Amino acid sequence: SLLGSSRPPPQPRFGANRAAARPRAMYRRFASVQRRYPVSTSCVVGGGVVGVGDAAVQALWRGGVDVQRNAVVSAYSGAMSPVFERWWCALERAWPGSAAGVVLRKAVTNQIFATPLNMALFLVWAAAAEQWLSRLAQTSVERRLDPAEESAGVWARAVRDLPNMVLVASTFWLPANAITFMFVPQNLRVLWVSSCTAAWGGLLGLSAHR
């Protein structure tokens, strides 16, 4: 009323506005850096997210962090992230859009070609890096393997482990890739897939500790 009994108008929620603006500002900064340094950003995001995720998984299931393992997996993820980003762009050029049939085509193509190759490369890299780091830790008195013998061991391990890994990983990565191609913007796919990689490591840890 005119006598002052009416309620005052609601005040804007400045705190909520600032909280909502902060993630947007962070995203704009990230997008700006990504446009200027696309390869470096992919390497840092891919390696950093997987490194942090792997350390968290190890701390949860093992009670500590194997620094050597963490370095191996994060280095591989960082090195391969720009490669896969280009691969996803190629799939988008071949089949643009996010319709269900298009997404299924991209996800299946990725699963058939990229996933087995990625796992084979990772197995070779992990085995080679493990043996190389172990060799560095040996003293001059200890016997060192012949390089040809080391290479044969790395290849044998990759051939032995790959088929089962591809089969098991398909149950996780085929749906994850479908989500990637349907919902995730291209500039956030390295971040998303790296997070999925950390989650995949957590699921493997859960399975091993049942």
Side-chain angles (χ1 to χ4, degrees), residues 99-110:
V102 173
V103 167
L104 180 62
R105 190 177 303 170
K106 287 185 282 195
V108 170
T109 300
N110 190 81

Side-chain angles (χ1 to χ4, degrees), residues 8-204:
Q11 298 297 318
R13 299 180 179 179
F14 294 108
N17 290 341
R18 283 197 295 268
R22 198 168 298 142
R24 291 195 293 267
M26 291 175 62
Y27 174 77
R28 286 195 294 269
R29 289 194 206 101
F30 171 77
S32 175
V33 172
Q34 190 179 48
R35 284 192 297 270
R36 294 172 61 190
Y37 311 104
V39 175
S40 299
T41 304
S42 292
C43 291
V44 171
V45 170
V49 171
V50 169
V52 172
D54 178 72
V57 167
Q58 289 192 60
L60 177 63
W61 298 118
R62 301 174 61 177
V65 178
D66 183 339
V67 177
Q68 177 176 308
R69 165 185 148 166
N70 187 264
V72 168
V73 297
S74 58
Y76 179 83
S77 178
M80 292 301 294
S81 291
V83 177
F84 279 100
E85 194 168 32
R86 295 292 181 87
W87 164 249
W88 298 326
C89 289
L91 291 178
E92 290 296 338
R93 287 194 298 270
W95 300 300
S98 57
V102 173
V103 167
L104 180 62
R105 190 177 303 170
K106 287 185 282 195
V108 170
T109 300
N110 190 81
Q111 193 68 31
I112 291 174
F113 294 101
T115 299
L117 177 61
N118 181 43
M119 290 187 174
L121 290 174
F122 175 75
L123 287 173
V124 171
W125 158 252
E130 180 183 337
Q131 291 190 7
W132 178 70
L133 291 171
S134 298
R135 190 168 71 246
L136 288 180
Q138 289 176 333
T139 66
S140 58
V141 179
E142 293 175 319
R143 173 183 174 269
R144 297 193 177 190
L145 292 175
D146 180 75
E149 186 178 350
E150 289 188 20
S151 300
V154 169
W155 179 252
R157 180 175 174 180
V159 171
R160 182 193 66 212
D161 294 344
L162 181 61
N164 185 58
M165 282 188 65
V166 171
L167 183 62
V168 173
S170 297
T171 61
F172 176 86
W173 281 109
L174 191 57
N177 287 326
I179 293 172
T180 301
F181 293 120
M182 181 167 285
F183 299 112
V184 183
Q186 290 191 43
N187 68 317
L188 296 180
R189 286 181 180 175
V190 169
L191 177 62
W192 160 253
V193 172
S194 299
S195 302
C196 289
T197 301
W200 172 241
L203 291 174
L204 293 179

